[in-house]
Amino acid sequence: MFDGIQRRVVSIWFPRLASDRVLRMRPIEGPFALTHTLGNTNRIYCLNSAAEHLGLSRGMPFSDARAFCPDLQSRPADPRDDLRFQHALRRWAVRYCPWVGLEDEDGLVLDITGTAHLFGGEAELLMDMRQRLSRAGIGARIGLGDSRGAAWALARHGEGSAPIGGALDALKGLPVAALRLEEKTATALGRLGLRSIGDLANAARAPLTRRFGPSLLMRLDQALGYQPEQITPLKDPPHYGVRMTLPEPIGISSDVLAGTERLLVQLCAKLKARETGARILCLTLRRVDQDSQQVELRLARPMREAARILPLFERGISDVDAGYGIDQMRLEAVQVEPMPVQQLSHVSTGSKDRLDDLITRIGTRIGLENVQRFLPADSHIPERSFLIAPAAYSMPERSWVNIRPRPLHIFPPNPLLGAPETPIPPKHFRWRRMSLATARSTGPERIAPEWWLEEDSWRSGVRDYWVIETRQGRRLWLFYTPQNPGWFVQGEFA
Amino acid sequence: MSQDFAKSFPLKPARVHEASGPGNATLAAICAAGVQGPVLWIRDAWRPESINPLGLNAFFDPSRLLVAQVKDQIEGLAVAEEALRDSAVPLVIQEISEPLSLIQGRRLQLSAKAGKSTGLCLISEGMGSNAAESRWHCAPLFDPFSEPADSTLQRWELIKNKSGTLRSWHVRWDTASRRLHLVSPAGE
């Protein structure tokens, strides 16, 4: 009878993933803990085995832990880096089989069906896994079984492997919590006297379903292999990098540019296939003396036309010190953005493209965020009536409305010293070492502060704005603060 | 009189001009109103005053304006040269804070010629370079008969002109029709 290949699943649990990650970077002797702030208290997030032996535990307040163990060393936890580390381990585990998924936030699950013989058998595969992980300084518990549930149970509770078809025998003695049950369910089962998986498997099924719902027996069936369970392998993120190794080192910038062109053509083909455009490109030039130089290019718009990107690289490449020559070039799109294929139309977009290229070129010199444009904003406060946004990351908006004339230049308010503290505009005043006489004043226009936003310069209360035309010709924008008497100049009209 | 003015203004394209005096930003805004397409305004990042786009709205659509904030004048000149040479921007306005040397002025002229864009340097008194095509001095004047919503009456004096005579005019920007009007000087 044909019964196919038996499915085999490995579950790896990293009991101290976070602290192992930090200790790999910087080894520390003695007790060590990672802390995080939870509900106003600094608590232990993860700790090493030395600290566990001293009686410290996860979730314990950090100050208590310091009292127990004065030489405890600590670092703040970074769950995002831990997640990245877990993904890196997943990528490493692909060496054993192509079908690797994540399990919770501190484990991996591998479907090793049909790959164990490549390592000389299951025992050898597990041995290899253990040796590599311990050499890397990562503590791991490994379980092997016919189903994902059995492997999970064996990894978390008493590390071991179940032989083919022997899941029940291997799991019989483990507590019910090994079935991935909620804590409440596990406690309730304990009260009923069903403490181990063997007890549960022998109990009548119908009353259990009535009492705990279908999920309990589903977990049991999954562990024993009666009910299938999927492993979801993660897709590798697309890689936008190309490189070229040269037989002889090069040093002339036109040669480097020609090499860059070849790389760009390859990279742009990749970008086009995925309908994305590069926003930041990084060209790494490795020299003969193993040193490397980087040229970064930030684009004003996502792009994938090699012919347009290449001239933008010219300036960066001309600054590179080639030393004894460059023998390897690597081009990577560090940041990509979606850029769907667009319908060609008879309306030319040439000038828009040229402007974007110009912004990119200016941006490589002064920083892309320093090329700005104005966007309208909904406020009566002069300083808030417009926004300044980087031109590369915004689109022009054409909805500028001003109800009253506004000055061409505005500046931080200059106090008018010596002006009378009355609401009537001063007849004579001195501003920027100029003696000015008021010929005509128009106003007042009262502007009230926006109470919903904190703004230090508006603490003096409401402002009465006046347009002052001076005999000397300049037209200035003055304001008077009635709640805090004083005159200020804030702008000059065109 | 208006024929004379038409010879000097709008500014001769593909050249670099200079404007001084307290009203030079107005001249820049009026130049920007006269061109099609984007306008680049290069200014030093350390300047406390800022351009108010609502103030520019009386002259042209502020969405056409790009502002480049530069660290110092050398950087500003490099950006101006790049932009003038590229011809994607028909008008490049640069605020000058240190006197321009003849070489710097000449380089700007050459890049304006290469890109067929117009350059305008906003200078303080006495900071211009000899390479400039024309130099204007803009002074605001008080006009007792104007409406408050109008723009300032200005006296524009051409104080350097490589291809014409020197003269001065009284001008006013009409915010409603968005046109520059020549005004006959008021008798004293």
Side-chain angles (χ1 to χ4, degrees):
Chain A
M1 196 180 95
F2 177 73
D3 60 350
I5 299 173
Q6 177 60 43
R7 193 166 180 229
R8 300 293 279 166
V9 177
V10 168
S11 177
I12 312 177
W13 177 41
F14 307 106
R16 288 184 289 271
L17 182 74
S19 61
D20 283 346
R21 175 182 67 79
V22 176
L23 290 174
R24 254 165 65 82
M25 296 287 155
R26 202 183 117 184
I28 289 173
E29 293 287 320
F32 172 80
L34 291 174
T35 61
H36 67 152
T37 308
L38 200 71
N40 264 348
T41 321
N42 218 2
R43 288 181 186 276
I44 291 186
Y45 176 75
C46 190
L47 63 180
N48 70 353
S49 57
E52 257 169 18
H53 283 308
L54 289 170
L56 309 184
S57 62
R58 286 185 189 206
M60 182 181 200
F62 180 59
S63 46
D64 290 1
R66 286 294 290 268
F68 282 128
C69 174
D71 58 346
L72 178 67
Q73 300 199 46
S74 75
R75 288 284 193 82
D78 187 349
R80 283 168 65 190
D81 271 1
D82 295 340
L83 185 68
R84 232 169 277 147
F85 187 51
Q86 194 193 7
H87 278 266
L89 285 170
R90 187 201 68 81
R91 214 162 49 238
W92 163 79
V94 174
R95 63 180 285 117
Y96 296 107
C97 67
W99 213 255
V100 185
L102 301 179
E103 182 101 76
D104 304 332
E105 61 264 8
D106 51 0
L108 297 176
V109 53
L110 291 74
D111 188 343
I112 59 156
T113 313
T115 59
H117 72 278
L118 299 173
F119 296 85
E122 283 174 356
E124 284 77 10
L125 185 139
L126 294 189
M127 178 68 82
D128 182 71
M129 221 177 248
R130 269 194 204 102
Q131 278 177 349
R132 282 177 193 276
L133 284 170
S134 71
R135 205 183 311 152
I138 304 163
R141 307 267 181 82
I142 302 173
L144 170 66
D146 286 349
S147 64
R148 188 174 174 177
W152 192 93
L154 288 167
R156 310 264 164 156
H157 297 266
E159 196 168 18
S161 58
I164 294 175
L168 186 57
D169 290 337
L171 300 182
K172 213 161 45 182
L174 299 184
V176 284
L179 288 177
R180 295 177 281 174
L181 301 180
E182 285 172 34
E183 205 178 329
K184 207 173 65 183
T185 318
T187 318
L189 283 170
R191 293 215 181 102
L192 296 179
L194 300 172
R195 291 198 165 70
S196 69
I197 294 177
D199 296 344
L200 193 66
N202 291 331
R205 293 173 69 94
L208 282 173
T209 309
R210 213 174 305 140
R211 169 90 191 252
F212 296 103
S215 65
L216 171 64
L217 290 175
M218 185 191 79
R219 286 298 191 195
L220 181 68
D221 289 348
Q222 282 178 343
L224 299 181
Y226 303 143
Q227 198 170 335
E229 191 181 1
Q230 265 63 42
I231 294 170
T232 315
L234 296 191
K235 210 160 79 177
D236 273 324
H239 179 66
Y240 298 109
V242 284
R243 68 175 172 185
M244 180 163 70
T245 311
L246 303 162
E248 283 286 314
I250 55 171
I252 306 171
S253 60
S254 62
D255 292 351
V256 179
L257 216 54
T260 312
E261 188 181 2
R262 285 195 197 175
L263 292 178
L264 262 177
V265 170
Q266 288 177 39
L267 183 69
C268 289
K270 272 191 180 186
L271 290 168
K272 192 168 181 189
R274 295 187 184 271
E275 297 206 359
T276 48
R279 195 74 197 232
I280 300 177
L281 288 161
C282 182
L283 178 68
T284 311
L285 303 169
R286 206 193 63 188
R287 304 198 312 205
V288 182
D289 54 1
Q290 299 300 311
D291 192 17
S292 67
Q293 302 245 323
Q294 291 203 330
V295 181
E296 199 189 49
L297 180 69
R298 288 167 181 268
L299 299 166
R301 218 172 53 131
M303 281 207 286
R304 56 162 178 255
E305 294 96 342
R308 270 181 69 200
I309 300 174
L310 187 66
L312 304 174
F313 260 119
E314 269 170 20
R315 181 181 143 75
I317 287 176
S318 64
D319 289 347
V320 168
D321 175 17
Y324 293 108
I326 292 160
D327 65 352
Q328 195 187 62
M329 302 169 68
R330 182 164 183 280
L331 180 68
E332 190 185 3
V334 182
Q335 193 184 332
V336 294
E337 283 181 13
M339 190 180 158
V341 178
Q342 277 179 343
Q343 165 80 48
L344 287 175
S345 79
H346 62 282
V347 182
S348 163
T349 56
S351 65
K352 172 92 179 68
D353 288 350
R354 286 222 323 261
L355 185 65
D356 284 328
D357 289 359
L358 177 66
I359 292 173
T360 304
R361 273 207 304 277
I362 294 176
T364 53
R365 195 181 286 270
I366 65 172
L368 205 53
E369 66 285 350
N370 284 329
V371 186
Q372 301 163 339
R373 68 160 52 102
F374 295 113
L375 299 176
D378 198 7
S379 172
H380 291 293
I381 307 275
E383 302 92 331
R384 291 183 185 278
S385 55
F386 58 91
L387 296 172
I388 297 176
Y393 296 94
S394 59
M395 294 303 287
E397 285 185 42
R398 314 181 55 115
S399 56
W400 293 91
V401 179
N402 42 344
I403 299 157
R404 289 165 183 281
R406 286 284 181 255
L408 184 62
H409 278 131
I410 56 173
F411 23 83
N414 309 144
L416 274 192
L417 299 173
E421 293 179 353
T422 54
I424 303 152
K427 286 265 173 277
H428 295 273
F429 55 91
R430 283 187 71 77
W431 175 66
R432 290 190 181 172
R433 297 189 187 175
M434 285 179 288
S435 177
L436 301 169
T438 306
R440 187 165 50 195
S441 49
T442 316
E445 176 193 353
R446 175 160 289 191
I447 296 179
E450 292 175 336
W451 52 263
W452 55 92
L453 293 170
E454 280 288 313
E455 175 81 56
D456 279 344
S457 58
W458 280 78
R459 282 191 192 282
S460 51
V462 299
R463 297 178 178 181
D464 287 339
Y465 278 93
W466 292 79
V467 181
I468 303 286
E469 292 174 55
T470 61
R471 264 189 207 293
Q472 287 72 18
R474 287 175 181 251
R475 297 198 308 152
L476 299 174
W477 211 33
L478 268 65
F479 68 84
Y480 176 71
T481 45
Q483 291 165 345
N484 236 336
W487 282 91
F488 299 86
V489 188
Q490 207 192 354
E492 185 172 0
F493 285 90
Chain B
M1 187 174 92
S2 60
Q3 280 175 351
D4 272 1
F5 187 67
K7 273 185 202 159
S8 326
F9 197 90
L11 301 177
K12 199 171 169 189
R15 301 290 288 169
V16 176
H17 305 261
E18 290 178 350
S20 65
N24 58 5
T26 316
L27 186 125
I30 291 169
C31 289
V35 298
Q36 299 286 325
V39 174
L40 181 70
W41 194 309
I42 303 162
R43 48 202 329 269
D44 292 323
W46 50 264
R47 283 182 194 266
E49 80 264 18
S50 62
I51 311 169
N52 185 6
L54 289 170
L56 287 176
N57 199 17
F59 298 91
F60 66 101
D61 179 9
S63 62
R64 277 168 50 201
L65 185 70
L66 288 174
V67 180
Q69 303 269 9
V70 293
K71 199 167 72 242
D72 53 27
Q73 180 152 322
I74 300 295
E75 215 177 72
L77 286 169
V79 171
E81 218 177 276
E82 186 93 57
L84 282 170
R85 204 175 279 281
D86 189 78
S87 78
V89 184
L91 177 68
V92 178
I93 300 163
Q94 188 187 6
E95 293 182 10
I96 298 284
S97 50
E98 293 160 31
L100 283 184
S101 71
L102 187 59
I103 295 176
Q104 291 168 339
R106 187 73 197 131
R107 283 188 65 153
L108 286 180
Q109 283 296 8
L110 287 173
S111 29
K113 190 177 171 191
K116 298 192 174 54
S117 312
T118 315
L120 179 64
C121 297
L122 303 184
I123 57 171
S124 304
E125 316 275 328
M127 273 190 185
S129 83
N130 264 333
E133 171 70 26
S134 69
R135 188 175 304 136
W136 297 75
H137 184 269
C138 315
L141 292 176
F142 173 63
D143 178 9
F145 309 107
S146 71
E147 293 288 319
D150 279 353
S151 66
T152 318
L153 178 70
Q154 292 211 357
R155 182 169 184 274
W156 284 4
E157 193 177 356
L158 194 52
I159 52 178
K160 174 178 193 276
N161 191 356
K162 279 201 169 174
S163 51
T165 50
L166 305 185
R167 275 204 58 176
S168 74
W169 299 271
H170 285 198
V171 294
R172 180 200 291 284
W173 178 257
D174 187 339
T175 48
S177 63
R178 298 205 172 187
R179 276 175 57 85
L180 188 66
H181 290 307
L182 278 183
V183 181
S184 48
E188 289 297 317

